[in-house]
């Protein structure tokens, strides 16, 4: 009885579909760059491989090109993928780019309970990956990044604008500048008592940058900051809800709130509403990231727009340049301000209506 199982596609089929030789297919799929193959031909081969579902044997690729065809994406905790929309979008973007380059992506968490801190360094030591992208590095994890750097493994870190990161290849935006812009927007609406709920604990470098933007905006306008105006959430909307409850329980009045990201802002809205406070009439609110759900919040969320898909694309482009031993070019300008999307939650539209 003939088998109903279909044989997996071969490199010969890729070659026929792309109209090239099997040797060219081998060079392209093993990322051999010194054979004079044009980018158009390279893309043609990768497209043909994707279309027929061809996946070269990983072991053969390792032997042929000395590489594994795998890159690692290092995130703080795997559970963040369940609750952090920004991170989920970023992972999807990087994964899509990996497919485009014919690579596999491995996700590794750095701070999960029960795991040895910096465990991702083992992937480097064992040469199970060709390079890695690190998202939201922490201060304790800095020493492990130094080890990877010293080992000469291609690495891109989301850390543009962070202090003491000059030795690393960094990508992303300077979030302190855009955070400062968001707070200045609230100040421009007449607020001087502006609280801040950050999206995670201050051990994460990006968390400190958003807080720095808040503090600098307040200081430049001569507004004193009450220590009771700052609280730290833990990525999820539920943690934003609890952190905002904590702020309210301190009984130190504020008229505006800057949330470290949009997910936290969703939790903050609920906590404020349950306390009998209306957004924006009683407390103006601004978030960060402009996740897809932001415009559907009630009220619609004013927020800093982040090009998450573009960030993932840029990170992979930098990593690919390093893997090819080329000089990486950053297409994202760290100092560029992200656009502020003004909707209902900050009260700007309400104020304009009242003036009329």
């Amino acid at each position: 009885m003939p088998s109903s199982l279909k044989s997996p596609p071969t490199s010969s089929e890729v070659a026929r579909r792309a109209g090239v030789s099997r040797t060219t297919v081998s060079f392209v799929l093993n990322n051999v760059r010194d054979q004079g193959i044009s980018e158009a031909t390279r893309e043609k081969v990768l497209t043909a491989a994707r279309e027929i579902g061809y996946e070269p044997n990983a072991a053969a690729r390792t032997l042929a090109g000395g590489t594994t065809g795998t890159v690692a994406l290092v995130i703080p905790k795997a559970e963040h993928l369940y609750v952090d929309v920004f991170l989920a979008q970023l992972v999807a973007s990087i994964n899509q780019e990996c497919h485009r380059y014919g690579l596999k992506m491995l996700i590794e968490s750095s701070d999960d309970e029960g795991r040895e801190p910096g465990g991702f360094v083992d992937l480097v030591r064992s040469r199970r990956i060709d390079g890695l992208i690190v998202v939201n590095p922490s201060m304790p994890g800095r020493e492990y990044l130094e080890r990877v750097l010293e080992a000469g493994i291609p690495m891109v870190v989301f850390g543009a604008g962070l202090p003491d990161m000059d030795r690393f290849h960094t990508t992303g935006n300077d979030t302190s500048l855009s955070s400062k812009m968001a707070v200045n927007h609230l100040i421009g609406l007449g607020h001087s008592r502006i609280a801040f709920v950050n999206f995670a604990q201050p051990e994460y470098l990006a968390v400190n940058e958003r807080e720095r933007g808040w503090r600098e905006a307040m200081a430049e306008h001569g507004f004193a900051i009450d220590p009771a105006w700052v609280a730290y959430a833990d990525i999820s909307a539920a943690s934003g809800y609890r952190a905002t409850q904590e702020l309210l329980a301190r009984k130190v009045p504020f008229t505006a709130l800057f949330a470290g990201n949009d997910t936290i802002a969703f939790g903050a809205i609920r906590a404020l509403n349950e306390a009998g406070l209306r957004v924006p009439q009683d407390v103006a609110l601004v978030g960060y990231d402009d996740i897809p759900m932001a415009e559907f919040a009630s009220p619609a969320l004013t927020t800093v727009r982040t090009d998450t898909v573009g960030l993932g694309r840029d990170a992979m482009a930098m990593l690919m340049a390093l893997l090819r031993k080329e000089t990486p070019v950053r297409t994202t300008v760290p100092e560029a301000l992200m656009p502020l999307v003004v909707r209902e939650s900050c009260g700007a539209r309400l104020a304009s209506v009242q003036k009329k």
Side-chain angles (χ1 to χ4, degrees), residues 324-345:
R324 296 165 180 162
K325 303 188 185 309
E326 300 170 354
T327 302
V329 177
R330 181 189 287 126
T331 57
T332 301
V333 181
E335 297 79 15
L337 288 175
M338 297 296 95
L340 182 70
V341 182
V342 178
R343 297 192 179 102
E344 299 168 359
S345 67

Side-chain angles (χ1 to χ4, degrees), residues 164-180:
D164 304 321
M165 295 293 284
D166 293 341
R167 295 182 60 210
F168 299 94
H169 292 285
T170 61
T171 189
N173 304 108
D174 187 337
T175 63
S176 68
L177 293 175
S178 295
S179 296
K180 183 177 177 180

Side-chain angles (χ1 to χ4, degrees), residues 256-295:
L257 176 63
F258 175 43
N261 69 23
D262 292 348
T263 303
I264 300 306
F266 271 83
I269 290 173
R270 178 173 175 179
L272 292 168
N273 287 341
E274 288 184 358
L277 297 170
R278 300 165 300 166
V279 178
Q281 292 89 342
D282 301 315
V283 177
L285 176 66
V286 173
Y288 200 108
D289 286 334
D290 195 26
I291 62 176
M293 295 181 293
E295 64 178 308

Side-chain angles (χ1 to χ4, degrees), residues 281-331:
Q281 292 89 342
D282 301 315
V283 177
L285 176 66
V286 173
Y288 200 108
D289 286 334
D290 195 26
I291 62 176
M293 295 181 293
E295 64 178 308
F296 300 104
S298 183
L301 193 59
T302 293
T303 179
V304 177
R305 174 169 290 164
T306 300
D307 179 11
T308 315
V309 174
L311 290 175
R313 186 170 55 242
D314 288 354
M316 269 305 298
M318 289 187 71
L319 184 60
M320 288 304 298
L322 292 172
L323 290 170
R324 296 165 180 162
K325 303 188 185 309
E326 300 170 354
T327 302
V329 177
R330 181 189 287 126
T331 57

Side-chain angles (χ1 to χ4, degrees), residues 72-89:
L73 176 63
V74 181
I75 62 175
K77 296 181 180 180
E79 66 186 40
H80 291 171
L81 287 170
Y82 295 115
V83 295
D84 187 352
V85 178
F86 168 84
L87 183 59
Q89 286 184 301

Side-chain angles (χ1 to χ4, degrees), residues 129-199:
I129 58 172
D130 300 327
L132 65 163
I133 297 173
V134 182
V135 179
N136 201 12
S138 65
M139 286 186 282
R142 172 64 184 263
E143 65 172 289
Y144 302 108
L145 298 185
E146 295 281 357
R147 293 184 194 177
V148 174
L149 190 67
E150 290 167 3
I153 301 299
M155 176 175 64
V156 175
V157 181
F158 274 88
L162 297 179
D164 304 321
M165 295 293 284
D166 293 341
R167 295 182 60 210
F168 299 94
H169 292 285
T170 61
T171 189
N173 304 108
D174 187 337
T175 63
S176 68
L177 293 175
S178 295
S179 296
K180 183 177 177 180
M181 172 192 67
V183 177
N184 278 331
H185 175 71
L186 290 170
I187 292 171
L189 293 173
H191 298 281
S192 58
R193 293 178 294 172
I194 304 172
F196 178 47
V197 176
N198 217 330
F199 68 92

